[in-house]
Amino acid sequence: MPTRTRLPPSPSDPVLAVTAAAAALGSRATALGGLLFLASDTLLALRLFLPGADAVIGDVAVMSTYGLGQGLLAAGTVALLRARRPHALADSDAITDAPRETSGAA
């Protein structure tokens, strides 16, 4: 009977699961970004713990899923923030909390 290779659980597994679930609550971009980020970590785990997987799963697969996932998470988060407070990201005064100058006599 063939033996099965069992991947050991990692302390970061619950964190990755919660991150992917939270990303799914945002938008389509954040959901897809979270899924791709989870896929990149899964590919890394397979390369580390599955004999022979390192030869099949290359750096390009890992880095492309990671980079695209992070990009979608960032873009989706910015889009969600802009939808909630459109003036906050467009207005530099909102970032610095500097008082606005008004034209005219005071």
Side-chain angles (χ1 to χ4, degrees):
M1 182 182 275
T3 59
R4 291 179 53 186
T5 303
R6 182 163 183 250
L7 299 178
S10 168
S12 66
D13 288 347
V15 174
L16 292 172
V18 169
T19 302
L25 297 175
S27 66
R28 287 182 186 166
T30 58
L32 183 56
L35 183 65
L36 287 169
F37 180 66
L38 186 61
S40 72
D41 279 0
T42 301
L43 291 173
L44 286 172
L46 289 172
R47 286 176 61 173
L48 187 61
F49 297 113
L50 192 63
D54 195 28
V56 178
I57 302 170
D59 293 337
V60 173
V62 173
M63 289 310 296
S64 61
T65 54
Y66 177 79
L68 190 56
Q70 290 296 315
L72 285 169
L73 282 169
T77 301
V78 168
L80 287 171
L81 289 173
R82 283 189 175 153
R84 288 187 183 166
R85 296 182 62 198
H87 63 282
L89 292 177
D91 189 1
S92 63
D93 290 342
I95 295 171
T96 62
D97 290 328
R100 293 179 183 235
E101 292 183 29
T102 57
S103 61

